[in-house]
Amino acid sequence: MPNQEIEFILARQLSEYLSSPIALVDHDGRMIYYNESAEFILGKKFNESGEIDSREWDERFYDENRTNMIKMLDLPFLKVLSGRSILEGEYWMRSFEEIEQKVRVICIPLVGMAQRELGAIVFLNLLQR
């Protein structure tokens, strides 16, 4: 995470010590880090993929009935960037290993000192595989 804000560095360090699947998203919607527990859900190891551009999430999320694709800008970890509210939802997600699974996503806006909107902390919970 070269030249990252101190808040991201500290959030990353915390997530490395937790077994909860956690990802960090910057203000541009790029997933800049995810911990080892999130690798299982996402289907990619972070040290192999590195940062994941927001466009790579397009066509990977569906509603609870698996009938409607969730548009990229409607995903909670991107929607949270435009506001300061915690967002959550349950979705069907196709991992990078092409495995469909139901996940609960909880996104918390990451606001730094002087009210700088930095991005979001994303908690992932695998519900069904």
Side-chain angles (χ1 to χ4, degrees):
M1 287 174 50
N3 301 324
Q4 289 292 337
E5 302 285 349
I6 187 67
E7 294 89 346
F8 277 126
I9 294 168
L10 294 172
R12 177 180 175 160
Q13 187 174 10
L14 174 64
S15 71
E16 288 174 350
Y17 287 98
L18 299 175
S19 61
S20 302
I22 298 172
L24 303 175
V25 177
D26 71 9
H27 201 275
D28 295 324
R30 185 176 47 245
M31 193 170 284
I32 59 171
Y33 176 75
Y34 50 94
N35 65 7
E36 190 175 332
S37 298
E39 291 176 350
F40 176 74
I41 296 172
L42 299 175
K44 272 188 179 182
K45 292 190 176 288
F46 180 75
N47 63 0
E48 294 171 1
S49 72
E51 296 180 354
I52 300 174
D53 190 80
S54 61
R55 291 174 294 214
E56 292 189 49
W57 298 109
D58 209 15
E59 301 182 3
R60 292 202 174 272
F61 284 84
Y62 300 86
D63 64 10
E64 286 191 60
N65 300 322
R66 293 193 226 185
T67 54
N68 297 314
M69 190 179 308
I70 307 296
K71 300 284 186 201
M72 182 179 65
L73 293 176
D74 290 331
L75 294 173
F77 56 86
L78 295 176
K79 252 181 132 169
V80 75
L81 302 176
S82 62
R84 292 189 176 186
S85 297
I86 295 171
L87 296 176
E88 67 176 301
E90 291 182 8
Y91 305 92
W92 282 93
M93 181 189 95
R94 186 171 38 85
S95 75
F96 289 103
E97 293 177 320
E98 304 302 324
I99 297 171
E100 288 198 12
Q101 53 201 358
K102 189 172 186 178
V103 293
R104 174 177 276 300
V105 179
I106 301 170
C107 305
I108 301 172
L110 186 58
V111 181
M113 301 298 285
Q115 302 301 309
R116 292 174 299 131
E117 294 179 353
L118 301 170
I121 298 174
V122 179
F123 293 86
L124 301 162
N125 186 18
L126 183 61
L127 301 175
Q128 184 179 342
R129 197 166 210 191

